[in-house]
Amino acid sequence: MKLSVIIPVYRVEATLDRCVKSVLSQHVDDMEVLLIDDGSPDKCPQICDEWAKKDDRIRVIHQENGGLSDARNTGIDAAQGDYLTFVDSDDYLSSNTYGPLLKLLDDADILEYSITNRLALPNHCYTDMGEYWLQGQAYLHTYAWNKIYKRTLFEQVRFPKGKVFEDVYTLPQLLKRAQKVKTCSKGFYHYCYNPNGITANASGEQLDMLLDAHLANGMPMDDAYYLYLLNIQIDVWERLGGDIKLPVRKLNPQVFKGFDKLKAITLNKIGINKLCKIIKTLHYIKKPSRW
């Protein structure tokens, strides 16, 4: 079997049909679709079973609720394809996305494709994973779902249970086992923004998990990546206080423009601790009075 598509399902009865229809519209016969019902308390379990009756490419696994990582891991364990991919059940795909992408895989370990109105990728091949991470700025789009992977990459890798931003933990582990990554302008994943989701409403503790994931990933760092992590560190410190986790680094201001350049210059002169305090004060001043 060529491709296993893993779809975690939890409280998405309004969008599940659209998601499954879009996957089945890929016109890929050598494909299985794994619907992982993660103990959904609504009508999703019945919707999954109905889809399995309509198309023999669909397999349904019902399990007790364990969270997104656990559902993805169940799908990985059950997958039989040479390659696997993920789709979140409130998102969907453009028609005939997988077919052309599968033809481009060749000997690539990971193929990443574009996201409608969010990420336009060039056609490029990376054999240096550090280059993909930094020059390709993969750290900005570690999403599990706009990529096709060789299943063998997951032989010793799983998504971490109990963590948010779980993709940030997982992609670097996969890259350490990969030799070739392709990015592709073809095919489109439709990400549907959720105003109630973790990305829009992350707490200080959850952003602290995000920072920890980046600091522990073992990937190379340049000035642009450092500034990205600095912004996360500032948000974490502003909400939680405590120690600064980001290591000290002098930045080259000429790499940046505008406010980022000013931030780099200020960081070099006064350090992270004072920069965090200044930005927290500025944010406090800008807050409108409640009285």
Side-chain angles (χ1 to χ4, degrees):
M1 181 173 292
K2 187 72 172 178
L3 180 66
S4 297
V5 183
I6 299 169
I7 306 177
V9 176
Y10 186 76
R11 288 189 172 181
V12 286
E13 61 181 28
T15 59
L16 182 55
D17 281 340
R18 179 186 64 186
C19 175
V20 177
K21 286 179 182 177
S22 75
V23 172
L24 296 178
S25 74
Q26 299 307 302
H27 306 298
V28 178
D29 294 325
D30 197 13
M31 173 181 77
E32 65 174 354
V33 180
L34 300 169
L35 299 178
I36 313 300
D37 164 35
D38 192 38
S40 188
D42 54 9
K43 295 180 180 178
C44 284
Q46 295 93 324
I47 296 173
C48 289
D49 290 338
E50 290 170 3
W51 273 110
K53 294 176 183 177
K54 297 176 184 176
D55 196 304
D56 59 11
R57 291 175 293 176
I58 294 178
R59 283 197 287 149
V60 179
I61 298 175
H62 299 285
Q63 65 179 34
E64 293 184 3
N65 179 248
L68 177 59
S69 288
D70 192 45
R72 285 177 177 167
N73 291 340
T74 296
I76 294 169
D77 292 340
Q80 299 176 356
D82 297 323
Y83 291 88
L84 59 81
T85 189
F86 303 92
V87 181
D88 282 359
S89 45
D90 46 3
D91 300 335
Y92 62 101
L93 300 166
S94 290
S95 61
N96 198 29
T97 288
Y98 287 151
L101 293 178
L102 290 171
K103 294 178 181 178
L104 294 172
L105 276 168
D106 294 328
D107 57 345
D109 297 289
I110 301 173
L111 187 148
E112 181 179 20
Y113 60 101
S114 299
I115 306 169
T116 303
N117 300 324
R118 189 179 181 95
L119 178 66
L121 290 168
N123 297 315
H124 196 81
C125 180
Y126 297 90
T127 55
D128 182 329
M129 299 304 103
E131 182 184 355
Y132 169 62
W133 188 254
L134 296 178
Q135 277 68 57
Q137 294 189 307
Y139 58 85
L140 295 178
H141 38 92
T142 60
Y143 323 117
W145 28 257
N146 70 321
K147 300 170 181 70
I148 299 175
Y149 314 81
K150 273 187 179 177
R151 183 164 59 90
T152 53
L153 292 179
F154 285 91
E155 286 180 351
Q156 297 179 344
V157 177
R158 292 294 184 272
F159 291 92
K161 292 183 63 175
K163 301 286 188 181
V164 295
F165 300 107
E166 62 286 331
D167 303 344
V168 181
Y169 289 87
T170 307
L171 181 60
Q173 295 185 54
L174 298 174
L175 292 179
K176 291 172 185 177
R177 293 161 172 80
Q179 295 183 356
K180 181 180 289 187
V181 173
K182 287 184 176 181
T183 60
C184 182
S185 61
K186 292 185 178 180
F188 286 102
Y189 187 99
H190 293 264
Y191 168 76
C192 298
Y193 176 75
N194 180 0
N196 299 314
I198 181 64
T199 302
N201 300 283
S203 66
E205 290 78 6
Q206 291 165 333
L207 288 174
D208 196 34
M209 284 188 194
L210 174 61
L211 181 62
D212 285 343
H214 278 287
L215 293 179
N217 65 27
M219 299 301 290
M221 185 178 295
D222 60 8
D223 284 0
Y225 184 29
Y226 184 89
L227 188 66
Y228 170 72
L229 297 184
L230 175 63
N231 291 331
I232 300 173
Q233 175 67 87
I234 290 170
D235 284 343
V236 170
W237 189 88
E238 186 172 353
R239 301 182 191 197
L240 301 180
D243 295 333
I244 298 294
K245 296 181 178 180
L246 190 65
V248 175
R249 181 185 178 105
K250 290 288 186 178
L251 301 182
N252 177 8
Q254 303 308 315
V255 173
F256 307 103
K257 296 180 180 179
F259 185 70
D260 285 344
K261 184 173 184 177
L262 177 61
K263 187 179 291 185
I265 294 171
T266 306
L267 172 71
N268 290 344
K269 288 187 175 182
I270 66 175
I272 299 178
N273 292 70
K274 290 183 178 179
L275 179 61
C276 286
K277 292 177 181 178
I278 289 174
I279 291 179
K280 183 176 182 179
T281 300
L282 290 174
H283 286 170
Y284 178 80
I285 292 172
K286 289 182 179 180
K287 285 183 179 179
S289 172
R290 296 177 60 186
W291 305 102

